[in-house]
Amino acid sequence: MVGDADSGAVRELMVVLAVAGAGLLLAMVAAFAPWHPRPGRGAPVGLVELHSPGGAGAPAVGLTAG
């Protein structure tokens, strides 16, 4: 089947495979990049503490940054 395809179809398939490979590479870099703080740099943004408005009572769940 591939022998019957003209060079345009083969070129298009190669472009699709190259774009897919580049996307996979970028996804792997994002997934395996070090996200932990390093000395001399600020810590990454974490969750913000949640407070109930008006002080009606203690919040059910207390989340802290970090």
Side-chain angles (χ1 to χ4, degrees), residues 1-14:
M1 288 232 170
V2 177
D4 297 337
D6 59 347
S7 64
V10 173
R11 183 173 40 234
E12 183 176 353
L13 181 61
M14 295 304 287

Side-chain angles (χ1 to χ4, degrees), residues 20-52:
L24 183 62
L25 180 67
L26 286 173
M28 288 177 59
V29 166
F32 297 114
W35 295 102
H36 53 83
R38 287 178 267 173
R41 293 184 59 190
V45 178
L47 292 176
V48 178
E49 290 186 23
L50 300 177
H51 300 280
S52 61

